[in-house]
Amino acid sequence: MRLWIPVTICIILTLFSPVLGDIKTVPPGGTVFIGEENLDISGSGVSSGSHIAWWAPGTSLDETPSDTVTVSNPARFSALGATFSGKEGIWYTLTTKTPVMKIKQPKLKVKIRDTTSDFDATGKWLPRGHLASFQIESNLYEIRSRGGISGAPVDIIITTPTRSEYSTVSGPSGSFSLKGIPVSSSLYDTGPVWNTGGTDSGTYTIQAKCTANELDSNSADPGTGVSEPITVLIQDINPLSNSGRQVEIETGSNSTGAGEKITRAPTIKPTPLQTMTTGAAAPLPQSSMASPSPSGTSRATTQQTEVPVPAASLQPAATQSPLSASATIQVSQAPTDTPASASPVPTQTKSTPLSAPGAIIAIFASMAALCLAPKRY
């Protein structure tokens, strides 16, 4: 009664089986990327146990091959890096020298483009709310030559600032899956598929990987089966602009973030008074001389006048300095020609000489006294 159900299933399996198997089936002389596994290369006439050979560039097929590999099962062939790394080019059957496949190192690179403003936003700022597209540069598009597929399947991984991952994005055409994007050319552009209006502000990391035949697992070196990670900053304000409140005073600068810049001038404090204590030598001009005084004052003598200056009252006027409060102020004293002495100068006493008449009178008085003195026998 319901025989149409299994018949329909058989038809569907028949239609889709070649498509699913084509990504593994390599036509004679087709491209195989280092890292692919479980490929079918039997179409080139390779049988189990046969040998394939590689001649280095610059050598002839008539010479001894540079390397040979034994194929154990042509229907489950793997081109792993341990065997084929550094041996890119055409591999032939050893006996008939028929091309079997062309070995290549996979190359994969991803970029993000602001389609609203039409510029490359890779490693830059993407204004939130703009539309974005993904550009994939790769040689993996050659996988489509195996037939039945539109391109090499590539996944785009978007990691948010909170370390979560996107599996889909939304754009003008609705939801766009980031899994199995068919890369069909050396420069593939998805078009504006991501509307960043509902995203959180912050730095996003983007990476691409080709999932064909375990290529991403076996060629995991950045730039091969997996691209180098890139970043993009998504937020409302351009980080390179001078937007935001800005306060400028004079010198010095501190950043408060969020586009706010505050500059401050260093605080100027007055220099404290420097007091000269009693008995210390007061700084005098080089042409002046100081002599001590018994009264405890310092007498400053110049060529014109004599001015007594009390040492205890010498205080230099306070001046403001542009130095900060932590700076050390040094006060130097000018040397004097003659240092002041702390001991008093002794006073000299001189006798006053008599005048000439007074001296004569004194002589006569002395002679009269001798004459009037009594004689003793």
Side-chain angles (χ1 to χ4, degrees):
M1 295 290 293
R2 299 181 180 273
L3 294 177
W4 61 271
I5 296 178
V7 173
T8 304
I9 294 175
C10 290
I11 293 174
I12 293 174
L13 292 176
T14 303
L15 291 175
F16 282 94
S17 293
V19 176
L20 295 175
D22 280 344
I23 198 169
K24 292 183 176 294
T25 303
V26 181
T31 301
V32 172
F33 291 97
I34 297 176
E36 286 190 274
E37 62 179 51
N38 296 323
L39 300 176
D40 185 358
I41 60 173
S42 60
S44 60
V46 178
S47 58
S48 297
S50 61
H51 295 82
I52 58 176
W54 171 73
W55 281 263
T59 61
S60 172
L61 296 180
D62 296 330
E63 301 177 22
T64 302
S66 303
D67 196 9
T68 60
V69 172
T70 301
V71 179
S72 58
N73 184 355
R76 296 182 63 85
F77 177 79
S78 296
L80 301 181
T83 303
F84 293 95
S85 181
K87 301 167 187 176
E88 299 180 51
I90 300 176
W91 284 72
Y92 302 84
T93 58
L94 182 60
T95 55
T96 63
K97 297 179 182 178
T98 302
V100 177
M101 59 187 171
K102 183 186 292 184
I103 293 291
K104 282 190 176 182
Q105 181 73 24
K107 296 179 181 178
L108 184 60
K109 184 177 182 180
V110 65
K111 294 181 178 180
I112 183 170
R113 187 169 189 83
D114 183 338
T115 58
T116 301
S117 298
D118 193 21
F119 72 91
D120 185 1
T122 304
K124 302 173 185 176
W125 166 63
L126 178 65
R128 187 167 59 176
H130 281 205
L131 297 177
S133 69
F134 302 98
Q135 292 182 337
I136 300 172
E137 298 179 8
S138 177
N139 59 356
L140 292 168
Y141 70 94
E142 295 185 36
I143 290 179
R144 73 174 184 171
S145 64
R146 296 174 189 177
I149 56 175
S150 57
V154 174
D155 293 352
I156 293 178
I157 305 166
I158 301 178
T159 305
T160 69
T162 57
R163 309 307 299 171
S164 60
E165 292 185 0
Y166 285 169
S167 59
T168 60
V169 291
S170 180
S173 300
S175 180
F176 179 82
S177 176
L178 299 175
K179 304 293 184 181
I181 301 171
V183 176
S184 56
S185 60
S186 59
L187 180 58
Y188 182 83
D189 196 317
T190 63
V193 296
W194 189 16
N195 186 342
T196 61
T199 61
D200 295 331
S201 296
T203 300
Y204 289 73
T205 302
I206 302 171
Q207 199 168 20
K209 66 178 181 179
C210 181
T211 59
N213 305 320
E214 305 299 327
L215 189 62
D216 55 330
S217 300
N218 298 325
S219 295
D221 292 336
T224 56
V226 180
S227 71
E228 293 272 4
I230 63 170
T231 59
V232 62
L233 175 62
I234 300 178
Q235 63 181 26
D236 297 323
I237 301 175
N238 187 345
L240 300 180
S241 68
N242 292 325
S243 60
R245 186 170 61 90
Q246 180 171 326
V247 179
E248 293 187 358
I249 301 175
E250 288 181 4
T251 60
S253 176
N254 286 328
S255 177
T256 62
E260 180 177 344
K261 178 181 178 183
I262 297 178
T263 58
R264 297 186 176 91
T267 304
I268 299 177
K269 294 185 178 181
T271 304
L273 295 176
Q274 305 296 312
T275 304
M276 310 293 284
T277 57
T278 305
L284 297 175
Q286 190 70 19
S287 60
S288 301
M289 298 180 61
S291 58
S293 173
S295 61
T297 61
S298 178
R299 177 177 298 174
T301 306
T302 63
Q303 295 179 357
Q304 290 82 14
T305 59
E306 250 181 31
V307 181
V309 181
S313 63
L314 291 178
Q315 294 183 352
T319 59
Q320 289 189 346
S321 171
L323 298 176
S324 61
S326 60
T328 303
I329 300 176
Q330 297 181 352
V331 178
S332 59
Q333 297 180 352
T336 58
D337 292 340
T338 305
S341 174
S343 58
V345 179
T347 304
Q348 296 182 0
T349 305
K350 294 182 180 180
S351 57
T352 302
L354 297 177
S355 59
I360 295 174
I361 294 173
I363 293 172
F364 279 106
S366 299
M367 292 178 63
L370 291 175
C371 293
L372 295 177
K375 296 181 180 180
R376 296 181 179 179
Y377 295 103

